[in-house]
C-alpha cells in the first residue's frame, strides 16, 4: 500500500489508467533516458502509446499521467504527431494548467512544484493570458471524463 500521503496520487493515477484501459490505449514504462521527459504521448504510432519513466514513484507517476491525459484528449489515437515549436509550447502550457486543475480536483496539491522537481521548466507551467480559455475547457473535459 502506498504511504498515506500518496493515496490520493495513487487514486488519480488509477482513475487515469482505468480510462486508458477502457479506451484500449497502451501505456508502459521505459528506462530513464529512453525518452527525454518523464512521460510522452505518441498517438501516431501503431499502436498509440503513452510512455513513462520506469522509476517514477506514485506521486510522480500521477503527475506525469495527469499531464499526458490532457494530450490524450487533445490528440486521440491515430492523430498525427503533434510536432514541436511555438504551437507545441502553447499546448504544453495549456495541458499543464488543465492537469493542475485535475490534480486539485483529485484532492492533491503541489502540481507545479512536483512537475518542476521532475524537470519541467517553470515557464511551461503557467498559461499565457490567451491560453486560459483553452486550459479551462480542457480541464473541464479531463474532469468530466474521470469523475462524471
Amino acid at each position: 500500500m502506498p504511504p498515506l500521503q500518496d493515496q490520493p496520487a495513487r487514486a488519480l493515477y488509477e482513475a487515469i489508467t482505468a480510462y486508458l484501459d477502457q479506451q484500449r490505449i497502451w501505456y508502459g514504462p521505459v528506462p530513464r533516458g529512453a525518452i527525454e521527459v518523464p512521460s510522452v504521448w505518441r498517438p501516431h504510432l501503431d499502436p498509440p502509446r503513452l510512455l513513462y519513466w520506469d522509476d517514477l514513484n506514485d506521486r510522480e507517476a500521477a503527475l506525469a499521467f495527469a499531464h499526458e491525459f490532457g494530450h490524450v484528449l487533445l490528440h486521440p489515437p491515430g492523430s498525427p504527431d503533434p510536432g514541436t515549436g511555438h504551437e507545441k509550447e502553447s499546448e504544453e502550457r495549456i495541458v499543464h494548467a488543465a492537469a493542475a486543475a485535475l490534480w486539485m480536483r483529485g484532492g492533491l496539491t503541489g502540481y507545479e512544484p512536483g512537475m518542476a522537481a521532475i524537470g519541467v521548466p517553470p515557464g511551461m507551467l503557467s498559461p499565457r493570458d490567451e491560453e486560459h480559455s483553452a486550459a479551462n475547457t480542457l480541464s473541464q473535459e479531463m474532469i468530466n471524463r474521470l469523475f462524471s
Side-chain angles (χ1 to χ4, degrees), residues 75-98:
H75 306 284
S79 297
D81 186 354
T84 60
H86 173 72
E87 291 169 0
K88 180 66 174 168
E89 288 181 9
S90 176
E91 180 178 309
E92 286 298 311
R93 287 188 297 271
I94 289 166
V95 170
H96 277 298

Side-chain angles (χ1 to χ4, degrees), residues 66-80:
H67 174 77
E68 295 306 328
F69 183 52
H71 290 297
V72 167
L73 295 181
L74 289 174
H75 306 284
S79 297

Side-chain angles (χ1 to χ4, degrees), residues 114-133:
M115 289 305 268
I118 58 176
V120 176
M124 289 287 107
L125 295 171
S126 298
R128 295 183 177 161
D129 289 343
E130 67 272 13
E131 298 164 341
H132 281 282
S133 177

Side-chain angles (χ1 to χ4, degrees), residues 7-56:
Q7 287 180 350
R10 170 55 76 174
L12 181 59
Y13 169 83
E14 289 175 353
I16 295 168
T17 57
Y19 176 86
L20 297 174
D21 290 342
Q22 178 187 35
Q23 299 299 310
R24 294 183 173 85
I25 295 174
W26 186 88
Y27 52 93
V30 296
R32 188 178 289 252
I35 54 177
E36 294 179 12
V37 293
S39 59
V40 66
W41 168 234
R42 297 290 188 230
H44 61 285
L45 298 178
D46 188 21
R49 61 199 72 173
L50 189 158
L51 305 172
Y52 58 96
W53 288 343
D54 62 359
D55 61 351
L56 299 176

